[in-house]
Amino acid sequence: MSERPTVHRNQIAEARNVLGEVIARARFGGEPTVLINRGKEAAVIVSYEDYATLRELRDYLEELEAGERSSDKTNARVLREALDIAKRRALDSS
């Protein structure tokens, strides 16, 4: 199992000053940066690969949920639950 990447946190104004570094960390190091605005998480800069993976997972989930077979519905439920758990874990750790 691979290690979890380092997650950086920056105020938006700070990140703007080092945007090249923030992008390089995401792109080459797989290290996301959480952007903070007025003390709250506003957005995340991630690699395009991570973004594309998330989009594919969402699209796949929508296909399963729209499917006719009961196995599609079961797989959609399992995937939705896993994504919900991951979301809660991510929000709890921030």
Side-chain angles (χ1 to χ4, degrees), residues 23-77:
I23 292 170
R25 283 194 310 240
R27 184 177 180 195
F28 301 114
E31 298 176 355
T33 297
V34 177
L35 300 178
I36 310 298
N37 186 24
R38 298 181 182 179
K40 294 185 179 181
E41 290 84 2
V44 180
I45 296 178
V46 297
S47 69
Y48 186 80
E49 179 182 340
D50 287 349
Y51 167 77
T53 299
L54 179 58
R55 293 295 312 185
E56 284 297 316
L57 279 172
R58 284 182 163 174
D59 291 347
Y60 179 60
L61 178 57
E62 287 176 9
E63 288 174 23
L64 288 174
E65 288 175 334
E68 297 295 321
R69 300 182 313 200
S70 64
S71 63
D72 287 346
K73 301 290 185 189
T74 300
N75 290 338
R77 183 180 47 76

